[in-house]
Amino acid sequence: MDSQQNIQKRQKTNALNLLILCAISLILVMQLHLQFVQKINWDEFYFLSLVYDYQRGDLSKPLQTAHVHFFGWLKYISPNEVTQIIAARVVMWGLQLGTLYFIFKTACRFISTRSALFAVLSYLGFGFIFIHGTSFRADPIATFLVTGLIYIFVATPLNYKNLAALSAALALALLVTIKVIFFAPLFAALALWRLSTAANKKALFLRLSMCAGVSIMLFALGYLVQLNIMPSADVVGSKDMLGNAGRTTLLESGWFPRSLIIQQHFIFGLISTLMLFLGFLFILLDIRKEPSGSKRLVAILAMGLPLLSLIFYRNAFPYFFAFVFPTVILWAGYAAERLKKMPILLGLLALMIVINIGVQYKFRLNETHHSQYVTLKELHRIFPETVNYIDKSSMMSSYAKSGFFMSSWGLKNYRAKNDPVLTKAMKAKVIPVLIDNSPEISRALHSSKASSLLLARDQLSLRENFIPHWGQIWIAGKALSVSPQDSIFENLVPGKYTLQSNYPVLIDGISYASGDVVFLARGQHRAASGQLQDIKLRWGNTLQAPDMAAPTQPIFTNF
């Protein structure tokens, strides 16, 4: 009789394990498909542009740019940056598989296989993680490395071989992003836990100290290598960057600077949130009830320490949660462990997670990259060779962007310096194209809109030196009203221009008919006409817009 009951119990356990595995697999398939269709975020283009900056010898940031050495192959995928980022996202999806494996193996150190699987499912059950966990940013790379080193720390013998791997992973993670520092309290807590359970505490302490020292040495070596292979990089620039980042992201934003996004994260992963909360309560209750097992429970509780960064970190945007949640998710696994006598409930919760993610997947399918892809396709058609351009975030990543990265942080620094860098760039380089992919650029170009955060001088330079071409693409040009009396205008983009007019026009004393090409140097020019008329001077030799309709969807929307 007992044997029959045990067989039935194992069958139920295997069935639930299979259900959870199927739920994980279905979410991963939906997520993989999403990489090929969903829109590209502005900082993904920026992340790609760093790869091209490094290849051109223009990269001056030795910190947080280690990825540039691993993605140089993207340029061979396609000339369109959207397709390149899709290929990179598939790589990130593969890294996330590694992250999920490390979450599972780490959880198995504390809880059963089934509960560890539920922890993995709960991680994927957060909408922000499902959507942004595989984006082309530093976060998925660092998450893979951090979860790997935590697995080594928690679930393997801390021999010299494993500690060497841990040191290398930590150094590389720091070179990818300094945000790894948010895991420092957890590293310290896990070190204390391993020491408290070690048979030879002194030997382990020496090994861990050596591991920390090797990590610092490897990080310093990697930084020095970066510094020496980047001609325009220097130590002062790194110090300034770290100081600016520290002030802006940690010290000037108050408590819970992204409270609304934090709330949305927990709401979009409601079942996973519930399991986290239950796990937290169960851990606290069991610490009181089981003093003999308190070290293990305290170690699980410490997995939530990276969440403290949400209290003060300004850049806790949706993509950040995939980075900061892979350890605390063990709380959800612990809740599943405590509910192991209720397999039907766990099965229902697993199904609810899949349904929740499925609904978000369906809505996300409407947020496509179509407008981005066709805009870049047209830009590369117009400019098959590299040119300088102005936009928000280096969208035409394979070409050299002029100006600055127009993130909220970038705009804040730009306003503080009060330096019209766009105008200066136009006076120093030939910049024939502008991409209207920033609210501030759009407001500058359309003065009837709300006030732009760009400086007045830069707004005027953009408005007077670019005209609409197709969709969000603006080409260097002039839209002028001319009469028999000379009109004086300033040109900041030297080059050939095609005249569009109803009647002949005198430009700098020479008569031109519509369709003629005139060379305009940088500086002031005169234009007049025998009849009052509106004319356009468009950069290039009879540059034509494509016949297909321009996309109406904005290039960038919210996360």
Side-chain angles (χ1 to χ4, degrees):
M1 187 67 179
D2 289 341
S3 177
Q4 185 66 26
Q5 288 178 342
N6 288 335
I7 292 173
Q8 291 176 348
K9 185 176 179 181
R10 282 197 300 271
Q11 288 175 340
K12 289 180 180 179
T13 299
N14 292 337
L16 182 55
N17 288 354
L18 181 61
L19 174 63
I20 296 172
L21 275 172
C22 288
I24 292 171
S25 300
L26 182 56
I27 291 175
L28 287 173
V29 169
M30 288 189 289
Q31 188 187 47
L32 179 59
H33 176 244
L34 211 56
Q35 308 317 308
F36 293 90
V37 296
Q38 74 171 338
K39 64 185 179 183
I40 312 295
N41 220 285
W42 53 84
D43 53 349
E44 292 183 272
F45 284 114
Y46 174 73
F47 202 61
L48 176 61
S49 73
L50 296 175
V51 177
Y52 283 101
D53 287 346
Y54 171 68
Q55 292 179 346
R56 283 191 298 265
D58 296 337
L59 188 61
S60 60
K61 300 176 180 179
L63 285 176
Q64 305 196 114
T65 55
H67 74 283
V68 301
H69 305 291
F70 305 105
F71 289 96
W73 53 270
L74 289 175
K75 64 183 179 182
Y76 302 111
I77 296 294
S78 166
N80 194 300
E81 286 83 353
V82 166
T83 307
Q84 294 175 25
I85 290 175
I86 289 171
R89 282 176 166 182
V90 174
V91 173
M92 298 300 181
W93 184 83
L95 289 180
Q96 184 191 247
L97 294 182
T99 295
L100 298 179
Y101 173 78
F102 290 134
I103 291 173
F104 171 75
K105 294 296 288 184
T106 301
C108 284
R109 174 65 175 79
F110 301 101
I111 53 182
S112 67
T113 299
R114 182 178 67 189
S115 300
L117 286 173
F118 202 93
V120 171
L121 177 60
S122 298
Y123 179 74
L124 291 172
F126 283 106
F128 283 172
I129 293 174
F130 169 72
I131 291 170
H132 298 289
T134 54
S135 57
F136 187 46
R137 298 180 174 93
D139 301 78
I141 305 171
T143 304
F144 169 75
L145 293 168
V146 167
T147 52
L149 69 89
I150 287 175
Y151 160 67
I152 294 172
F153 216 151
V154 166
T156 68
L158 293 181
N159 53 37
Y160 288 112
K161 179 182 177 181
N162 289 334
L163 287 174
L166 192 156
S167 298
L170 180 56
L172 182 55
L174 285 167
L175 288 168
V176 169
T177 174
I178 297 298
K179 288 187 292 189
V180 172
I181 199 71
F182 294 147
F183 284 84
L186 176 57
F187 297 155
L190 293 178
L192 290 174
W193 170 65
R194 289 301 299 257
L195 284 169
S196 69
T197 58
N200 190 334
K201 293 179 174 55
K202 182 178 179 181
L204 182 57
F205 178 78
L206 291 174
R207 288 186 181 185
L208 291 177
S209 300
M210 186 183 300
C211 176
V214 170
S215 296
I216 294 171
M217 289 175 59
L218 289 175
F219 171 75
L221 179 62
Y223 173 77
L224 290 174
V225 169
Q226 292 268 85
L227 199 63
N228 280 279
I229 62 178
M230 296 178 185
S232 55
D234 57 49
V235 176
V236 174
S238 298
K239 290 180 179 178
D240 290 344
M241 187 201 78
L242 288 176
N244 193 355
R247 289 190 301 273
T248 303
T249 63
L250 303 178
L251 303 177
E252 297 179 356
S253 303
W255 301 113
F256 293 101
R258 297 298 170 191
S259 57
L260 179 59
I261 292 176
I262 294 170
Q263 292 172 31
Q264 291 173 341
H265 170 71
F266 286 115
I267 292 171
F268 292 154
L270 198 56
I271 305 303
S272 298
T273 299
L274 173 65
M275 294 300 286
L276 274 181
F277 180 70
L278 285 176
F280 177 69
L281 291 180
F282 285 143
I283 293 168
L284 293 181
L285 290 172
D286 290 348
I287 286 175
R288 294 185 62 185
K289 290 193 303 183
E290 302 177 26
S292 60
S294 61
K295 290 181 180 179
R296 164 180 164 271
L297 293 170
V298 169
I300 301 175
L301 188 63
M303 294 293 181
L305 287 172
L307 291 190
L308 295 176
S309 61
L310 297 177
I311 298 173
F312 52 83
Y313 185 52
R314 173 192 177 277
N315 282 9
F317 292 114
Y319 57 83
F320 179 68
F321 293 89
F323 172 69
V324 82
F325 262 70
T327 55
V328 72
I329 208 64
L330 266 65
W331 294 0
Y334 191 80
E337 185 80 356
R338 284 291 305 268
L339 298 173
K340 62 183 178 182
K341 294 182 179 179
M342 306 172 70
I344 295 177
L345 174 61
L346 289 176
L348 288 173
L349 290 173
L351 290 174
M352 290 172 69
I353 287 175
V354 173
I355 292 170
N356 175 48
I357 291 300
V359 170
Q360 295 182 59
Y361 164 75
K362 181 179 178 181
F363 280 104
R364 191 68 178 182
L365 289 176
N366 297 322
E367 298 282 343
T368 70
H369 56 60
H370 173 73
S371 65
Q372 299 167 332
Y373 181 85
V374 296
T375 297
L376 284 166
K377 184 178 180 181
E378 173 61 10
L379 282 166
H380 284 290
R381 183 192 71 82
I382 301 170
F383 303 105
E385 301 297 330
T386 183
V387 293
N388 295 292
Y389 67 100
I390 292 172
D391 86 323
K392 174 184 176 125
S393 58
S394 303
M395 182 175 171
M396 199 157 50
S397 309
S398 55
Y399 290 3
K401 169 187 165 69
S402 296
F404 65 100
F405 182 27
M406 296 184 193
S407 63
S408 57
W409 181 4
L411 282 163
K412 182 178 180 180
N413 292 338
Y414 161 81
R415 295 282 299 181
K417 293 178 181 177
N418 196 34
D419 183 15
V421 295
L422 301 181
T423 302
K424 286 184 174 180
M426 293 172 70
K427 290 180 177 180
K429 306 173 185 177
V430 178
I431 305 176
V433 63
L434 166 73
I435 308 174
D436 181 12
N437 58 5
S438 160
E440 308 312 323
I441 291 176
S442 186
R443 290 165 186 156
L445 294 172
H446 305 91
S447 55
S448 60
K449 292 189 176 183
S451 177
S452 172
L453 290 176
L454 297 181
L455 299 178
R457 183 68 186 93
D458 281 343
Q459 292 186 50
L460 187 65
S461 295
L462 298 184
R463 197 157 50 241
E464 292 189 348
N465 288 277
F466 292 96
I467 59 175
H469 175 72
W470 185 79
Q472 278 74 43
I473 300 174
W474 288 56
I475 294 294
K478 299 290 180 182
L480 305 171
S481 291
V482 295
S483 66
Q485 185 176 358
D486 277 349
S487 297
I488 306 297
F489 65 93
E490 184 179 14
N491 181 47
L492 294 181
V493 187
K496 294 179 179 179
Y497 286 77
T498 302
L499 174 65
Q500 295 173 247
S501 65
N502 295 320
Y503 308 101
V505 179
L506 285 172
I507 300 176
D508 295 331
I510 302 174
S511 179
Y512 296 92
S514 184
D516 285 349
V517 176
V518 53
F519 180 83
L520 295 178
R522 186 180 282 116
Q524 288 192 340
H525 299 270
R526 296 177 292 112
S529 172
Q531 293 82 19
L532 180 65
Q533 62 172 322
D534 293 328
I535 68 168
K536 286 184 179 177
L537 288 162
R538 186 181 303 272
W539 195 88
N541 188 348
T542 61
L543 192 64
Q544 298 294 324
D547 295 331
M548 60 185 279
T552 56
Q553 183 184 18
I555 287 180
F556 294 128
T557 55
N558 293 329
F559 285 103

